[in-house]
């Protein structure tokens, strides 16, 4: 049974990139963009999608054969420069509850044609005490 995609538990603003995605797919259909331009997932992203990615239950809008997978990356102070990929909801929640602020990105990936696109971005972590420490 496929695991459901990780969903943010953050209370802050979430920036959605669905409109940009729709525009991108339209540009592909009208020939303004080439498949190679948008099917360029980094090998590391493909590995993450296969390893910890969650099925979105949606067919790829480019190849119409692969099933899209979601990978969440978390970036922040004292985390690896390449970010970390939470493997579970509890794992994501622990990053979102950090004292230090984090930025989370949910990316959709097709491992078949390498289509990838940012789905949403959100800020989390950083309790008020931790924020004031960072500001000083
Ligand atoms: Zn695809």
């Amino acid at each position: 049974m496929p695991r459901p995609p990780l969903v943010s538990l953050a209370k802050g603003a979430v920036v959605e990139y669905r409109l940009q995605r729709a525009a991108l797919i339209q540009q592909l259909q009208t020939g303004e963009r080439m498949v190679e331009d948008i099917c360029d997932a980094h090998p590391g992203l493909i590995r993450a999608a296969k390893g910890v990615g969650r099925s979105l239950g949606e067919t790829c809008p480019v190849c119409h054969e692969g099933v899209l997978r979601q990978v969440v990356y978390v970036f922040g102070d004292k985390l690896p420069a390449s970010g970390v990929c939470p493997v579970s909801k509890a794992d994501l929640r622990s990053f979102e509850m950090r004292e230090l602020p984090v930025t989370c990105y949910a990316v959709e990936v097709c491992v078949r044609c390498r289509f990838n696109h940012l789905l949403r971005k959100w800020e989390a972590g950083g309790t008020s005490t931790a924020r004031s420490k960072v500001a000083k």
Side-chain angles (χ1 to χ4, degrees), residues 60-66 68 110 112-115:
C60 173
V62 179
C63 70
H64 305 286
E65 288 182 30
L68 294 173
C110 173
R112 189 181 177 282
C113 72
R114 299 175 59 209
F115 167 70

Side-chain angles (χ1 to χ4, degrees), residues 56-83:
L56 288 168
E58 190 181 328
T59 305
C60 173
V62 179
C63 70
H64 305 286
E65 288 182 30
V67 174
L68 294 173
R69 299 182 71 80
Q70 175 191 275
V71 178
V72 174
Y73 284 95
V74 180
F75 293 88
D77 284 349
K78 298 186 180 174
L79 292 177
S82 56

Side-chain angles (χ1 to χ4, degrees), residues 9-104:
L9 302 167
K11 293 184 176 81
V14 176
V15 182
E16 294 282 345
Y17 291 89
R18 282 272 169 187
L19 289 176
Q20 289 87 339
R21 179 194 194 265
L24 195 69
I25 298 305
Q26 191 174 10
Q27 289 172 347
L28 184 69
Q29 290 163 346
T30 59
E32 289 172 69
R33 290 219 189 221
M34 305 293 289
V35 169
E36 301 79 42
D37 297 336
I38 61 173
C39 295
D40 59 352
H42 186 274
L45 178 55
I46 296 292
R47 271 194 304 278
K50 287 178 178 173
V52 300
R54 303 289 187 104
S55 173
L56 288 168
E58 190 181 328
T59 305
C60 173
V62 179
C63 70
H64 305 286
E65 288 182 30
V67 174
L68 294 173
R69 299 182 71 80
Q70 175 191 275
V71 178
V72 174
Y73 284 95
V74 180
F75 293 88
D77 284 349
K78 298 186 180 174
L79 292 177
S82 56
V84 291
C85 295
V87 295
S88 66
K89 210 178 272 187
D91 200 15
L92 175 60
R93 183 166 172 77
S94 72
F95 285 112
E96 290 180 334
M97 302 293 285
R98 285 178 89 214
E99 280 188 31
L100 295 171
V102 292
T103 304
C104 307

